[in-house]
Amino acid sequence: MVGYIIRRLIQALFVTLLVTMGIFLLLHVLPGGAARAILGPRANAAQIAQFNHDNGLDQALPLQYWAYLTHVIRGDFGFSYKLNQSVGSILAQDIPKTMLLVGLSYAVAIVVAVPLGIYQAVRRNKVDDYALTGATFIFYSMPVFWLGILLIGLFSFTLHLLPAEGPQGENVGDLLGQLSSIVLPVATLSLITIASFSRYMRSSTLENMVQDYVRTARAKGASNNRVLYVHVLRNALIPIITLIGLSVGFIFSGALITEALFNYPGLGLRFWNAALTNDFPVILGIIVVAAFGTVLGNLAADIMYAVADPRVRL
């Protein structure tokens, strides 16, 4: 197990290094260069040269990359001239809020999708299975922004049950104090995730229910509930464990749209506003964080996969 984890850590570090290289190159393919993109079209040649010198952009590319990498390792992602604030401090403010939204969405999706997938597998080819399958196909194929608009129209403007705007505040505590405002953003993210997870859970459960170990357990007199929840459940969860790690990037991209739609003060809304104002240091800083989160999610999925199924370690 230790050797397996070490191999996965080395792979994660290698992927992370490639990610930083890609983001570093993005900085150098900006129209007119980083200096022109940040200072604006009215900057003259002297100002651009001074900016390049102050930020080490007049050095050789390997030296620039090494300086960039050491700054990222220290948590220094640059400076936002639009907001007159370091990107690191901006990320420190917004990351916990986005983690709250994504974490709640993941929790709701897993709690609902796992029993839903099992129920559909048990009731396969019945009317309720067909109805739930149709509903999951609808949610799975629906764009995040369109689902959010539909939820706002139904629960905010028609039924007047929930606020159309997400919770507002400087920290996670402020957001948790406005639970009614966080319902629609969480529902927008979790409904699409539930549709995906439940389909995988249904297929995995059906696949495991016809295995030899299930027939053996039934031949020994085990009840249907014991077979389902003791023997089948653990093996059926293995694809979901992998899916959780692989879907981190998808969830974050959905969070970007969801936060912008509900004016939720997290990384997604910050990225949206930075894109509108050409605040490239903030954009690249958020891309770095999202990439690191995706790599960590995949690493966590690999480790949990090995715990759930010891054969993977071989």
Side-chain angles (χ1 to χ4, degrees):
M1 183 65 176
V2 175
Y4 174 83
I5 293 176
I6 291 175
R7 290 196 300 271
R8 287 297 181 266
L9 282 173
I10 293 174
Q11 292 177 4
L13 289 175
F14 180 71
V15 172
T16 302
L17 190 64
L18 291 179
V19 168
T20 58
M21 289 181 181
I23 295 172
F24 171 76
L25 292 176
L26 284 177
L27 186 65
H28 288 75
V29 297
L30 293 173
R36 176 67 66 185
I38 293 173
L39 296 180
R42 296 184 178 181
N44 55 43
Q47 291 171 329
I48 291 176
Q50 185 63 44
F51 180 90
N52 289 335
H53 179 74
D54 293 340
N55 292 274
L57 298 177
D58 54 353
Q59 299 179 352
L61 279 180
L63 294 177
Q64 291 186 45
Y65 174 69
W66 176 252
Y68 171 77
L69 185 61
T70 54
H71 282 103
V72 168
I73 292 174
R74 295 199 305 265
D76 181 6
F77 297 94
F79 190 83
S80 171
Y81 294 92
K82 305 285 185 180
L83 301 174
N84 195 28
Q85 189 177 358
S86 67
V87 177
S89 63
I90 295 173
L91 296 178
Q93 294 172 9
D94 295 339
I95 287 176
K97 302 173 188 176
T98 295
M99 289 181 64
L100 173 66
L101 177 62
V102 172
L104 289 175
S105 301
Y106 260 125
V108 171
I110 293 171
V111 168
V112 175
V114 170
L116 182 62
I118 295 174
Y119 176 79
Q120 286 188 258
V122 173
R123 300 284 299 172
R124 63 187 180 279
N125 299 330
K126 301 291 187 3
V127 175
D128 45 357
D129 178 36
Y130 287 134
L132 290 171
T133 297
T136 54
F137 282 156
I138 291 173
F139 283 117
Y140 185 72
S141 60
M142 188 175 295
V144 176
F145 75 91
W146 182 242
L147 176 58
I149 292 173
L150 291 178
L151 292 178
I152 291 173
L154 176 61
F155 291 100
S156 296
F157 298 121
T158 302
L159 301 178
H160 304 287
L161 294 177
L162 297 168
E165 186 180 50
Q168 304 298 309
E170 296 296 328
N171 52 57
V172 172
D174 294 337
L175 303 186
L176 288 175
Q178 307 167 53
L179 291 180
S180 62
S181 298
I182 205 173
V183 171
L184 288 184
V186 170
T188 301
L189 275 181
S190 59
L191 282 174
I192 295 177
T193 310
I194 289 170
S196 175
F197 285 8
S198 64
R199 296 304 300 164
Y200 279 93
M201 191 66 197
R202 179 185 183 276
S203 300
S204 181
T205 303
L206 288 174
E207 180 181 352
N208 280 274
M209 287 175 67
V210 297
Q211 297 299 316
D212 291 338
Y213 72 87
V214 173
R215 287 194 291 268
T216 302
R218 285 175 174 163
K220 290 182 177 180
S223 64
N224 287 332
N225 285 337
R226 179 173 178 81
V227 170
L228 188 62
Y229 296 108
V230 176
H231 298 284
V232 173
L233 179 59
R234 178 175 178 178
N235 292 288
L237 281 174
I238 292 176
I240 301 299
I241 292 174
T242 305
L243 192 62
I244 291 173
L246 295 177
S247 62
V248 170
F250 169 77
I251 294 291
F252 179 79
S253 64
L256 187 154
I257 300 172
T258 302
E259 289 183 8
L261 180 63
F262 289 95
N263 196 36
Y264 182 93
L267 284 179
L269 181 61
R270 184 75 68 180
F271 186 91
W272 178 270
N273 292 331
L276 293 178
T277 59
N278 294 328
D279 196 348
F280 293 105
V282 173
I283 293 174
L284 295 178
I286 294 176
I287 292 175
V288 171
V289 171
F292 286 174
T294 303
V295 172
L296 289 176
N298 283 269
L299 177 62
D302 285 340
I303 295 174
M304 290 189 295
Y305 197 13
V307 172
D309 186 358
R311 295 173 297 178
V312 176
R313 307 172 199 170
L314 302 178

